[in-house]
Structures are given as C-alpha cells and as structure tokens.
Amino acid sequence: MIEQDQLEAQDRSDPLASKRDEFALPEDSVYLDGNSLGCLPIAARERARQVVETQWGHDLIKSWNKHSWIDLPVRIGEKIARLIGAAPGQTICCDSTSVNLFKLLSVALKMQGERCVVLSVQDNFPSDLYMVEGLRQLLGDDRVRLELCAEEAIESAMHDEVAVLMLTQVNFRTGQLLDMRRLTERAHALGILLIWDLAHSAGVLPIELDACHVDFAVGCGYKYLNGGPGAPAFAYVAQRHHAHLHQPISGWMGHASPFEFDAQYRPAANITQLLAGTPPVISMSVLDAALDVFRDVDLSQLRHKASALSELFRALVEQSPHLRDLRLLSPLLPQQRGAQLAYRHPQAYSICQALIAHNIIADFRAPDLLRFGFSPLPLRYVDIGTSVAVLIEIMRSERWREPQYAIRSKVT
Ligand SMILES: *Cc1c(COP(=O)(O)O)cnc(C)c1O
C-alpha cells in the first residue's frame, strides 16, 4: 500500500493543487463523478447570485446590453475554443449536446450530396445514435443510413459511401481514448466528414481540433467544464465549412439580423447561425464564470494530473486482494484512456450505492459497470487513497450486501 504521507507529498508538489480552492466542495465526501456532473466553482455560485439578484432583479431587460447577455453564446464559445484547440470564430455555446449533434449531422449530410451513411460505433453514447435515427425518420431511408462498427474496427469500416463519421473521443463507459488525428486523416482520405463528440474529453485533456483538421465537434457543458446541472453545450464548425452552413433549426437567433424581424429567414453566415432561440441566460452565465477556472491552467498539466490520479487508483485497486472480483474494463495504459476508470462486477449497482452511503461518490452504468471519474482540479492524491480504502472495506466486509443498497433510483 502507498503510505498516506507519500500521497500528501504528491499533493504538496502538485502544480495544480491550489485550483481546488476555487471550488465549493462538500467536506464530508470524495467526489469521483465529475465526468457526469462537474463540481461547483465558487465564481459560478457568485455569478448565479449576481445574475438573479442584480442583473435580472434590478436591471431587467436593460441587461441584454448592459451585461452583454446577448453575447454570452459567442463569448463562452471562445473560452471553450482555447480548451479544444480552435481558433476564434468557430465555437459557440448553445442548446444540448444532442440538439447540436442533430444540427451538425444535418449540415454534414447536406454537404455530402448522394452519400447517406453515418458511421459510428456500437457503444457510442446512445443519444448520439438516437439523433441519427431521428434524422432518418425525418429525411427517409434513402437519405440517412446508420452503420455501426466495433471501436477497434473503425478504420476498416470506413468506405466511400460514408458521408459522416460520428465518434466520441472518450468512450463514456470504458474511457477508451480514440486517436483523433489518425482517424480524421483516414476518413478525409475517403471524402468522409467528421463529427467528434468531446463530452468526456473537453476540459480534461488537450484537444487539437484545428490542427487535426476536424470538420465538426460538439461537447458538454456540465461534465468536466463544471457548468452546472443541464448547462448548455457547445458546437464547433471549421471555418472552411461556414459557407456551406445550413442548419435546420432555423430560429431567429441564427438569423443574419434577428432584430430586423424580417419575415424571411436569412441565415447568419458565421457560427452564430447555429443558435436557434433565446439563450438560457442564467445557466449560460454560470457556465461562463465556471470556465474562468481554466483561465490559467496548462492543459498538459491537467492531462498529466488526471492520468496520475487514475493510475494511482488503478494501481491501488490492483494491489488489494479484496478487490480481485473487480474487472478493469478501461485500457490499462493511461495514455489510451480519458480521465475515468470502469470496472465490471455483477453487483456493481449495490457496490456503488454502498460507496455513496460511505461518502465516496461514484456512478453505475448498466448492466454491471462501476465508474470512477478523476477531475484533476478539485481532486487531491489523498482523496484517491481514501476512496480505495473505503472500497476495500466495503468489499472485505461484504457490506454492499445490505438490502438497502439494492434499491434502484430513477437516475443511476
Ligand atoms: C453526456 C453526453 C451527452 C449528453 O447529451 P445532452 O444532450 O447534453 O444531455 C451526449 N453525448 C455523449 C457522448 C455524452 O457523454
């Protein structure tokens, strides 16, 4: 076992250690679920208060200009752009990841003319696949066809009738990290456009959308970006495609001049065309403030710490004779995974509930996965030691067998 003072020494020499102080964290627990819902940045809490009390409460409608509410989608987009390797003018904050995928799938399919296949992987996040299915229902079988392959077989599944390759950079179950540069290059060689979903990678590892010549991307505001429950998502469209941008949810905020109230829809010729309706100002303001946590963060340090935390957890689990029944599903090498680990166990649900009852917050994914996320900014190395110690105790004592841990709630 690694000694407590070794972990404390690691925390003392951690260049990101002070970032933890920028979060409001529950003192009684260790939170290993920042990949599902990020922690609360103190600045976000303050901004929520200010937006509600002063901006909405006092300044009311003047705030659209006075507090630049109208610029939130673009301003937040640019803050996210730094995290995903995007030059200005290509990223915008709006809607949910699912809705943004719907828009970008439509754009990409339209650009591809006769080609109608959307290729993705079997165990992609289901909502991403449902969006393709929705488009198929709308446009018909001759315009949209979904083909699914195994994650290991993406390259061999590409062919010249594929219009769009839709991939999630980090698998939400296993944490497997795909090679964005290589897959994008291979797809482009066959004339395929790429949509990357960054839900489990933005805010936790360096991403190079421009340098990899990615066409389109979407991502999530409430996971590693810490934007709060249901925070709006983001979308990226490479500059070279702006001339072909025709997204179908043609709301007034995506109009070239929304305040002319023209009866004729005239799409904005830039990234703002992706907007549909009025931005959700309160949630966007919270996300805007939350993103400032990343302002002075070096993304390679962020990646390094996330890998070190997950590697420490993995090593401690592997060393314990009481944890032999937990089967690692994630890649063994930290450079091949994002910032999470998944373990298989037939009783994963009860084990997860027992962990939560003992203040180690992890999550369960059906049918038998126990998932741990390692947000590098709020977490310390000592927290990893604590978590594995509790896990060992729960397994050793078989406390997870207590009947209350088998009761299922609506959200897992
Ligand atoms: C979390 C997640 C989403 C979430 O989509 P919403 O529409 O914002 O709820 C989509 N795709 C992936 C891969 C995710 O991990």
Side-chain angles (χ1 to χ4, degrees), residues 247-306:
Q247 71 101 350
I249 308 180
S250 42
W252 69 309
M253 286 290 155
H255 191 280
S257 315
F259 291 93
E260 279 175 21
F261 297 99
D262 191 347
Q264 190 70 37
Y265 179 69
R266 214 159 24 85
N270 56 28
I271 193 72
T272 62
Q273 193 204 112
L274 286 187
L275 297 177
T278 305
V281 169
I282 297 173
S283 18
M284 274 204 189
S285 301
V286 170
L287 173 59
D288 182 47
L291 284 164
D292 287 341
V293 167
F294 291 96
R295 194 183 41 229
D296 53 355
V297 170
D298 175 331
L299 296 183
S300 57
Q301 279 181 355
L302 190 74
R303 171 66 170 153
H304 173 82
K305 184 174 175 190

Side-chain angles (χ1 to χ4, degrees), residues 317-331:
V317 167
E318 194 181 75
Q319 283 165 23
S320 169
H322 301 289
L323 301 181
R324 293 276 145 81
D325 294 341
L326 292 177
R327 268 204 14 248
L328 183 67
L329 184 67
S330 306

Side-chain angles (χ1 to χ4, degrees), residues 94-102 128 197 199 218-222 233-234:
C94 54
D95 302 315
S96 63
T97 308
S98 306
V99 171
N100 287 335
L101 260 178
F102 184 87
D128 295 26
D197 186 332
V218 296
C220 194
Y222 54 80
F234 64 90

